[in-house]
């Protein structure tokens, strides 16, 4: 019988100055990978360093989590940058993450776009290529953590960049396998028990589950739980516990 294995990731280090978003310390005791904000949509040198340091102490893998320079909008508003500008912004943030992780005695293991930037890489091949160009210019062996069925996943595979495919425990999917817009009902799941059961079902099936209940097969390397919602800890704990009880091993990817 094939063992089911999945990484459990969350977006962390998203506070700024004296402001905190979520409970990073508690989340780092649950997840196996942390996507750390690089200073554009959240994060700063102090928060980045503390997050990388605590992740290292908890044996949690870390990735750079670049987004749009939009502190007010938390990186969830599309901004009218050209693909070339986005490429340089991603490279800039990856450089900051690499340096701060190194300073904390850790290392960047992957890159995962955040928020509106990630949504663009789901459907826009030009933006996906901009992210890939930034990563390959700095480290062509560094994987991208890409949304399942996204242009980022497809383009990265086509161009020979290592890819980790991600699904979401707490987000809804449309009938084409894409994430529902946050403006639509069912886009964000709030019931921890339901999300946990659904996560187990998707891992076992090797497929995402759409709002109608249909399964669409996909590779699944990592499962995301968001770290910025009021119920984030309950959600993460419920998902981790459900995976454990289902006999699904939870660990960071070995590449």
């Amino acid at each position: 019988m094939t063992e089911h294995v999945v990484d459990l990731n969350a977006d962390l280090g998203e506070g700024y100055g004296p402001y905190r978003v979520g409970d990073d310390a508690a989340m780092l005791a649950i997840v196996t990978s942390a996507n750390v904000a690089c200073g554009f949509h959240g994060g700063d040198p102090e928060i980045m360093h503390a997050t990388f340091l605590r992740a290292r102490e908890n044996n949690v893998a870390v990735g750079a989590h670049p987004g749009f320079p939009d502190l007010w909008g938390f990186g969830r508003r599309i901004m009218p940058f050209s693909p070339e500008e986005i490429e340089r912004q991603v490279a800039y943030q990856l450089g900051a993450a690499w340096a701060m992780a190194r300073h904390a005695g850790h290392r960047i293991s992957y890159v995962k776009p955040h928020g509106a930037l990630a949504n663009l890489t789901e459907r826009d091949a030009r933006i996906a290529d901009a992210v890939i160009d930034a990563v390959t210019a700095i480290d062509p062996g560094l994987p991208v953590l890409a949304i399942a069925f996204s242009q980022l996943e497809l383009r990265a595979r086509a161009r020979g960049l290592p890819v980790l495919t991600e699904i979401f425990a707490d987000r809804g999917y449309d009938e084409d396998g894409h994430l529902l817009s946050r403006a639509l009902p069912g886009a964000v799941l709030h019931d921890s028990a339901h999300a946990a059961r659904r996560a187990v079902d998707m891992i076992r099936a090797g497929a995402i589950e759409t709002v109608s209940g249909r399964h669409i097969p996909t590779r699944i390397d990592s499962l995301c739980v968001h770290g910025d919602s009021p119920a984030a800890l309950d959600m993460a704990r419920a998902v981790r516990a459900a995976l454990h009880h289902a006999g699904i091993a939870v660990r960071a990817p070995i590449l």
Side-chain angles (χ1 to χ4, degrees), residues 203-228:
I203 300 302
R204 283 176 166 169
I208 62 143
E209 182 180 301
T210 71
V211 289
S212 71
R214 186 165 72 98
H215 280 181
I216 304 177
T218 181
R219 179 184 177 93
I220 302 172
D221 297 299
S222 193
L223 178 67
C224 180
V225 289
H226 283 89
D228 61 315

Side-chain angles (χ1 to χ4, degrees), residues 37-41 64-70 75 77-97 111-114 116-118 120 127 130-135 138:
C38 306
F40 272 28
H41 75 276
H65 196 38
F68 283 129
D70 182 22
R77 301 182 294 188
I78 292 176
M79 304 184 78
F81 293 110
S82 69
E84 293 77 18
E85 289 170 327
I86 288 172
E87 178 184 343
R88 290 186 284 273
Q89 289 176 8
V90 171
Y92 182 97
Q93 293 175 82
L94 177 53
V111 179
K112 173 187 171 177
H114 164 82
L117 177 58
L120 287 175
I127 306 304
V131 172
I132 294 166
D133 288 342
V135 175
I138 294 170

Side-chain angles (χ1 to χ4, degrees), residues 230-247:
L233 277 178
D234 288 341
M235 180 74 71
R237 288 179 179 132
V239 169
R240 181 74 190 248
L243 294 171
H244 173 74
H245 290 306

